[in-house]
Amino acid sequence: MLFNSAEFLVFFPIVFAIYWSIRQVRIQNVFLLIASYVFYGWWDPRFLSLVVFSSLVDYACGIGILNTNDDRRKRAILTLSLITNLGLLGLFKYYGFFASELALQAGRLGVHIHPVTLHVVLPVGISFYTFQTLSYTIDVYKGNMRPTRDLISFLTYVAFFPQLVAGPIERATSLLPQITKRRRFTFDGAVSGVEQVLWGFFKKIVIADNCAHFVDMAFSSDRIIEAHGMVLIVGAVLFAFQIYGDFSGYSDIAIGVSRMLGIELMTNFSYPYFSRSIGEFWRRWHISLSTWFRDYLYIPLGGSRGTSGQAIRNIFVIFLVSGFWHGANKTFIAWGAYHAFLFLPLYLLGHNRNDLQIIGSDGHISVRDMLRLMVTFVLVCIGWVLFRADNLHQAYSYLLGVFTHYGEHYSFDLRLFQMRNQISLGVLGVMILILLAIEWTNRRRDNTLHFKWYFGGHRLLQFAILMVILFYGEFNQTEFIYFHF
Amino acid sequence: MDKDMTRFLLWVAKAALVIFIAFVALSWVGYRRPGLFVGLGYPKVWLNVVERIRAAEKDQVADTLFIGDSVSGQLMPLDHRHVLTSNGSVYAIGQYLLTKRAIAHFKGLKVVLFMSVPNVIGHKFERRNTLDNFVKPFLSDEDLEWADSTLTDKLDSTPSLYWYVLPPMKFLPISERNLENGVYKRPDELSEWAIHWLVELKRLCASNSVRLILASPPVGTAAMEKYNGWAHIREQVAGTELEGLFEPYFRSIATYPDDELEDAVHWKQDFVERKRPEMIARMLAPFK
């Protein structure tokens, strides 16, 4: 089920009403689990079995680790969890990629292999819930938390519907205790949740989905050949806002919906386009994934300890794996490598831990900061071309076009992007400016729209945003991009 | 129920009421003054069709009304006065309704030039974008007064469509609703629905002493060959009340290379810019 669907509009009020009318936490959790499975199964009930399987394996692994003092046995149980979860990911997400790559490379050596392809659909959210269950077992193994014996709570932790399919990837240390204990409804919490959901919908339905039309045109191979460099630049910038609106919008809706149910999820995006360096960008973009890789991959590999060579290796590993996590395509690996190369100089100069506070948090914004912010945004946009392109060749053509497609041979007409039934590029530009203005003024808050102005001015703004969503929103129920990752 | 929940539900109810009132009010304004919304970048195509309806309702002096599909709109773009080209999914019935309004409001109207390519002119009601292009813009209390059974039968088959008489319903973010209950018509065929409303349009013009010209914007060479010069439509209209209308229509069809087409029927815009006078001249040659 999509958040931006009529089904969810009916589903959530029913869930909300029944959920809060149940007093006993255990029954409340049973209900939440059923609701979560309905939410997920709405897309394809067959893949529910994978969610249940992954949950049961890690639940059993947690108990298994608790019940033994033998380190070798504990390690074997952890290995079982790793093989199960990464095996599921490998099978459903990466098998086809590796099989066809193997055949391709063998073909270059003159050996012809016909790879066995599975033709399986990628189960929605598999990258998210497998990482979530995996983190539980690793935390139990490392002694960071006590495993739970409450099966219902554990299943609910994995399947909790607001964040099941596209995160934030929650740690058991944070989410599980909230599920096992009784939740309390508060007026302020619920209103804050509504505000965050509203902002999420604005980002998804108004910004991301309207950008998508233009971006799809810009990245079509025919268009790349004939488009003027400026048109390609516009396409790349719009994709930056599309992916931000889409993914951070999803996170906002998930966090808001969850808060209305009395459960706090972690912040997943913290105004990443206001970053002054790539290091800061990665502290603000998809935080739940970045911190996951930091805690479960980078630090176990040695992090920045050891020799410079080892540290550099670790940086590349984390960026490449992070890129590959997004999908079985060389473009994602290239995107990860690109960011590793951008991050490396910061690390070598010891600047990777600078800019820990949001820009202007001390009340002062320098010209240098603004220039750094713009340069960072440009670098991120170049990376997005790699991320969005269908293949490396297309990415190369696009980037080449950005730098060389100037002159009258190339079409500069931005109306080329315009299709019937869509908002114009100008109106979309105004919407993006509204997004940036509101986020800029509220960049010190986790929940962008949660503030008060005199005489109820904040409610007027929220009301205006709702009207903009209704009148300018794209309501064709487009999927969230990160569903595919 | 605890105090916070009661307070929250009241807050939601109050907010919903304010939103409802504002939405209804804005919808009425938008429906009566579509230019305001379109000017602010309202993206939905149905309100552009309402703009044509409002233009046809404006008292003015004009001897010719130009109506037609989106290909004709490429040749003669909307001028908000008497060039009211729209798109194929308003159907012949939509063109009839525009003409009916124009006849009532245009002083000195002598000619109605209806331009539509042959693949589009015979469309049925069941097209996917019927909701946006016909139901939302045209369905109003006023239009239901004259509706005959050909329309009401179709509406009765999906009774929820009657809700779209209300302007706020038109503005709800629902579009592209699938109304394809029937089989999609052949591209070289006039549906019964189209035939009925073309006859009505002809009679409406005749009874008001207005000349109705039916012409076709250019088509691609391949389509002309594929459908054998639309021989099937020729057969359909032969010996009917529409024969006289269609005889020059077929002569008005000019062809250009398929390379210049952007999709199945629309021309690349830069090609139209270069060839517009020639295209119009060839289309209107049989009527001189």
Side-chain angles (χ1 to χ4, degrees), chain A residues 20 27 238 280 303 320 338 399:
Chain A
W20 284 115
I27 301 173
L238 288 180
E280 187 183 5
L320 290 174
Y338 169 77
L399 288 172

Side-chain angles (χ1 to χ4, degrees), chain A residues 114-159:
Chain A
H114 295 286
V116 180
T117 46
L118 296 176
H119 299 294
V120 285
V121 181
L122 178 69
V124 164
I126 191 167
S127 308
F128 292 90
Y129 66 75
T130 48
F131 269 44
Q132 191 153 309
T133 51
L134 209 50
S135 73
Y136 166 80
T137 311
I138 298 172
D139 278 343
V140 169
Y141 172 79
K142 287 163 76 177
N144 292 342
M145 69 176 294
R146 235 184 115 71
T148 180
R149 288 186 180 278
D150 180 350
L151 179 61
I152 296 295
S153 292
F154 184 77
L155 293 174
T156 310
Y157 151 71
V158 178

